[in-house]
Amino acid sequence: MKFIRFMFLTLSLVLVLSAREQVNVNFSNLEVDDFIKLVSKITKKNILISNKIPGTVDFVSSTAVYDDELMGILISVLESKGFTLVQSGSLYEIVRSADAAQSNLKVVKQGENPDGSLMVTQAITVTGENVDIVAAKIRYLISKTAKLMTMKESNMILITDYPKNIETIKKVMKDIETNNQATVKIVPIKFAEGKKLLAKLIDISKSLFNEQVASEVVKIILDENTNSILIVANQENVKKVEALIKKLDVESNIANTVQIFNLRNSDVKDVLKSLTEIVSKQTYADPLLKPNVSASEEINAIIAVGEPEIIKGIKYIIDELDTEKFQVYVQARVIEINKNNTEALGTKWGFDGALVSSSGGLYSLATNFGGASISPAASKLITLPSNLESGFALGAAIQFLQTNGASKALSNPSILCVNNKESSIYVGKTISVSTGTISNSVAGAGLTSSYKREEIGLTLKIKPRVSSTDKVTLDVETKLENILDDGSNNATKQPVTSKQEVKTQAILRHGESIIIGGLVKSYDVTAVSKVPILGDIPLLGDYLFSSESTTNQKDNLVVILTPYVIEKSEKLSQLQKDLGVLANLQRDYNEKIFKKIEEKGKITALDMETGEVVERDKNSSADTISGEK
């Protein structure tokens, strides 16, 4: 029955053949092998079937097809099964698609358009682009079983595929290939100086062209023999540079069109960033009016190219950005105050000394010798009044504690800060910390230890922000690192360190002071007291005539900062002279206050607001004002 149906279909097709013969083809569930035989009879082609091809095929057609189109239909059916047709003389052979390239396929010459339905091989020359880059872009267009190879030496693609696929690939390549052929243009210079013009063009070209893209690369060369500029680039970029040369090479107004602004106080990178952002947001009726702005880091200058009126606006912006920066001269005093000694001193003279809240980093110092503290304990910072008398009172209090053994000055550094730039001070030392011990296997070699260096001390970071010539905001970060144990009191024999850190912010006026506290070191001190002579008796003296006591000592590290705002750099030397005068006044003030305390034998306090000396008798709570300052 199957054979009869096949013969009937063959006879019906033969009856409708004509001069490019048309065939009415409609079949369903026809074996692939039978379809091959059918096509062979209609097209009168000899087809060799080396492998049985499984499966069936359906074809639905509403109109007749030409007989030569049946070969294309057959190849499509075979391709879906992993096979294809190759021609060898008058014989067609069915082979696996993956092996078709090794079957002596027809080679189509360059420039010719491949035709037909059978796979062919053709070499395609790539122009204006790297062959590997083009191959990567079009590889997805080839059929599954096609072969594609690149030849770098000739910049060609060798491809084996069906003619229609090859034609599609050639069309796509034509669209995606960039015209990267460089041309050379020689532009004579009429008015400008060659070297200066070349430097400007190179700087400007960096802003105009993206050097990371091969097609955008522009080379500009000066030929001094002919006084000409040589431009090597693609045609479009050559035209741009040539037009720019014509604008710059004008004797009458070149100074107005191109200007170089040397910066005195600012970094060219920061100024260029601001200018670029401003220019990019501007709209121009004529795009040619848009200025070009670039930077020369070697001379710290801005190069602006544009119309004279626009350049005037750029100059105004640069003048505002390039103003001299405020500077802040910060005096720092690092003082260690012993709480126990201060309390004892306060009991002796009748003032509260120094109160510390280590948990909150607060510090209250009674610099008025018995009056109100400089700052309530609710504040983290202590800001002194601006009058000199209050500053002298603080200095006198610190000197009083130091003279009586309650404090000691660790360091008095000073630092000059630029506005909005962080500066730092470090006071400390470097210790060696063991990182491990290696036992040598060689007899008698012993142990080998390795160490690393660690910095221990006080780090002070300051960032000022000046709001006026008399007011500054200080961002302050203080970090204290101490050695609690040098390793002699623990099993590891390694140093034990501690770290305390305070971060805060304060708004101060010129010459005011801030006290940063909360950096506390606690330790135990053992003291032995004994009766003279009797305490030295062996055995009995230790038990009957001597005693041992241990007290907990606390040292508070206090950092006092005093900022001075410097509007102009030439005022720095004057500030140094003024500080020298203030130091002498402070010394005279201290001598006066300490002498009065010793002579009167009374509790002396300094009123913070008036600067008057307040006295009272030790047996009386009433205060009297001496009227002296």
Side-chain angles (χ1 to χ4, degrees):
M1 184 67 183
K2 178 179 176 184
F3 176 75
I4 295 173
R5 186 177 64 176
F6 174 72
M7 292 301 297
F8 174 78
L9 179 60
T10 303
L11 291 173
S12 64
L13 292 174
V14 172
L15 291 175
V16 295
L17 296 179
S18 58
R20 194 192 170 200
E21 301 171 358
Q22 289 184 322
V23 183
N24 290 316
V25 182
N26 277 289
F27 50 82
S28 175
N29 201 30
L30 182 65
E31 294 289 338
V32 175
D33 286 344
D34 291 339
F35 180 60
I36 295 171
K37 297 174 183 178
L38 177 65
V39 174
S40 175
K41 286 183 176 293
I42 295 174
T43 60
K44 298 182 176 61
K45 306 290 185 183
N46 298 320
I47 301 176
L48 175 63
I49 305 175
S50 302
N51 300 287
K52 180 176 178 58
I53 302 174
T56 61
V57 60
D58 298 328
F59 185 81
V60 179
S61 175
S62 59
T63 60
V65 297
Y66 290 102
D67 58 344
D68 55 1
E69 291 178 334
L70 284 174
M71 288 296 287
I73 297 173
L74 175 60
I75 290 173
S76 296
V77 172
L78 293 175
E79 181 71 18
S80 67
K81 305 299 182 180
F83 294 86
T84 191
L85 276 179
V86 297
Q87 186 178 6
S88 178
S90 62
L91 179 67
Y92 291 85
E93 183 181 359
I94 297 176
V95 299
R96 294 189 180 277
S97 299
D99 301 328
Q102 288 85 34
S103 301
N104 297 321
L105 299 179
K106 179 182 177 182
V107 177
V108 181
K109 294 181 180 181
Q110 289 192 61
E112 294 183 0
N113 295 325
D115 56 5
S117 303
L118 302 178
M119 294 183 78
V120 296
T121 299
Q122 188 174 32
I124 306 172
T125 301
V126 178
T127 58
E129 188 63 87
N130 183 285
V131 65
D132 289 331
I133 295 176
V134 174
K137 294 176 181 177
I138 56 92
R139 193 176 292 275
Y140 77 98
L141 296 174
I142 66 177
S143 60
K144 294 181 180 179
T145 55
K147 303 295 183 182
L148 186 148
M149 182 177 67
T150 61
M151 295 178 287
K152 295 182 180 180
E153 59 275 7
S154 57
N155 213 49
M156 296 177 64
I157 292 176
L158 186 64
I159 183 170
T160 298
D161 204 347
Y162 295 102
K164 290 184 178 180
N165 281 1
I166 294 177
E167 284 301 303
T168 300
I169 288 170
K170 289 163 70 174
K171 290 178 181 179
V172 173
M173 286 175 57
K174 186 177 180 181
D175 291 336
I176 66 175
E177 283 181 4
T178 59
N179 183 15
N180 195 30
Q181 294 182 347
T183 60
V184 179
K185 181 75 174 182
I186 302 175
V187 182
I189 302 172
K190 297 179 181 179
F191 305 104
E193 183 181 343
K195 290 183 179 180
K196 291 184 178 180
L197 180 58
L198 177 66
K200 295 172 185 176
L201 290 172
I202 292 175
D203 280 338
I204 296 170
S205 66
K206 292 178 181 178
S207 302
L208 292 179
F209 310 113
N210 186 355
E211 296 181 352
Q212 302 301 320
V213 180
S215 60
E216 288 288 307
V217 174
V218 176
K219 293 184 179 180
I220 305 173
I221 305 169
L222 173 65
D223 184 3
E224 296 183 354
N225 294 329
T226 60
N227 196 35
S228 302
I229 293 292
L230 279 68
I231 310 168
V232 183
N234 61 45
Q235 292 183 357
E236 183 180 353
N237 289 349
V238 166
K239 291 179 180 179
K240 291 181 180 179
V241 177
E242 186 179 8
L244 184 59
I245 293 175
K246 290 180 179 179
K247 286 186 177 182
L248 297 179
D249 191 25
V250 179
E251 185 178 24
S252 58
N253 63 353
I254 185 67
N256 294 327
T257 305
V258 179
Q259 285 201 17
I260 299 177
F261 300 97
N262 293 296
L263 305 182
R264 296 180 176 85
N265 303 294
S266 304
D267 184 83
V268 68
K269 291 182 181 179
D270 297 334
V271 175
L272 178 63
K273 182 179 179 181
S274 300
L275 285 175
T276 304
E277 185 176 355
I278 294 171
V279 171
S280 64
K281 293 181 180 179
Q282 300 298 314
T283 56
Y284 301 91
D286 184 357
L288 296 176
L289 294 176
K290 185 176 181 179
N292 292 312
V293 183
S294 58
S296 175
E297 296 185 25
E298 292 183 1
I299 60 175
N300 198 47
I302 294 291
I303 303 172
V305 182
E307 295 298 319
E309 291 300 320
I310 298 178
I311 295 298
K312 288 181 181 179
I314 292 177
K315 180 181 183 302
Y316 174 78
I317 296 172
I318 292 176
D319 290 342
E320 291 298 317
L321 294 175
D322 193 34
T323 56
E324 185 174 358
K325 305 295 186 295
F326 279 101
Q327 297 183 84
V328 180
Y329 182 78
V330 181
Q331 280 189 326
R333 283 178 285 180
V334 184
I335 302 168
E336 189 176 71
I337 301 177
N338 184 276
K339 180 180 178 183
N340 303 63
N341 293 345
T342 305
E343 289 177 349
L345 189 63
T347 303
K348 176 180 179 181
W349 294 100
F351 62 87
D352 59 353
L355 305 177
V356 178
S357 174
S358 58
S359 61
L362 314 178
Y363 199 86
S364 173
L365 178 62
T367 56
N368 59 351
F369 296 98
S373 296
I374 292 176
S375 173
S379 173
K380 191 172 185 177
L381 306 175
I382 300 176
T383 304
L384 299 177
S386 60
N387 57 73
L388 290 178
E389 196 70 39
S390 61
F392 289 152
L394 173 63
I398 294 172
Q399 185 63 36
F400 185 81
L401 294 176
Q402 185 171 343
T403 304
N404 288 275
S407 71
K408 62 179 178 180
L410 300 181
S411 178
N412 294 306
S414 59
I415 188 169
L416 184 62
C417 310
V418 178
N419 190 30
N420 283 320
K421 299 289 185 180
E422 185 181 274
S423 301
S424 63
I425 301 173
Y426 171 75
V427 180
K429 61 181 179 179
T430 304
I431 64 172
S432 297
V433 178
S434 175
T435 58
T437 302
I438 301 175
S439 178
N440 295 315
S441 58
V442 181
L447 301 177
T448 302
S449 300
S450 58
Y451 297 87
K452 66 176 180 178
R453 306 289 284 173
E454 295 284 351
E455 293 183 345
I456 300 295
L458 174 69
T459 302
L460 180 64
K461 295 182 180 179
I462 303 171
K463 182 179 180 180
R465 283 178 292 152
V466 179
S467 56
S468 67
T469 57
D470 192 48
K471 188 173 291 185
V472 60
T473 300
L474 292 183
D475 291 326
V476 183
E477 179 180 347
T478 306
K479 181 170 65 176
L480 175 64
E481 294 174 297
N482 276 321
I483 302 176
L484 301 179
D485 182 2
D486 62 0
S488 59
N489 298 319
N490 62 77
T492 64
K493 303 303 180 182
Q494 295 293 310
V496 179
T497 62
S498 66
K499 181 169 71 174
Q500 296 162 295
E501 195 169 359
V502 175
K503 294 182 180 179
T504 189
Q505 187 180 80
I507 301 175
L508 303 173
R509 284 176 293 176
H510 176 83
E512 287 185 336
S513 297
I514 177 177
I515 302 180
I516 301 175
L519 305 173
V520 182
K521 179 175 65 176
S522 180
Y523 56 94
D524 293 330
V525 175
T526 301
V528 177
S529 60
K530 55 186 177 180
V531 177
I533 301 175
L534 297 178
D536 295 329
I537 299 174
L539 299 177
L540 292 177
D542 292 337
Y543 288 99
L544 300 178
F545 303 106
S546 64
S547 62
E548 182 178 296
S549 62
T550 301
T551 59
N552 181 262
Q553 300 284 335
K554 288 186 177 180
D555 289 341
N556 304 285
L557 196 69
V558 176
V559 181
I560 304 174
L561 302 178
T562 308
Y564 299 93
V565 180
I566 304 170
E567 183 181 4
K568 301 289 183 181
S569 57
E570 57 265 21
K571 292 185 178 181
L572 180 60
S573 58
Q574 182 60 44
L575 174 63
Q576 297 287 358
K577 294 178 182 179
D578 294 341
L579 292 177
V581 174
L582 288 176
N584 292 331
L585 292 175
Q586 179 73 70
R587 185 168 52 252
D588 296 340
Y589 182 89
N590 294 350
E591 292 177 357
K592 175 182 176 183
I593 292 297
F594 297 164
K595 183 178 181 181
K596 195 169 189 64
I597 294 175
E598 294 173 358
E599 290 178 351
K600 299 294 182 72
K602 298 180 179 180
I603 304 166
T604 305
L606 180 66
D607 190 286
M608 289 292 295
E609 299 298 329
T610 65
E612 296 178 331
V613 177
V614 180
E615 300 175 346
R616 66 184 181 191
D617 190 84
K618 290 184 179 179
N619 298 321
S620 173
S621 60
D623 293 340
T624 60
I625 299 177
S626 68
E628 298 183 12
K629 296 186 180 181

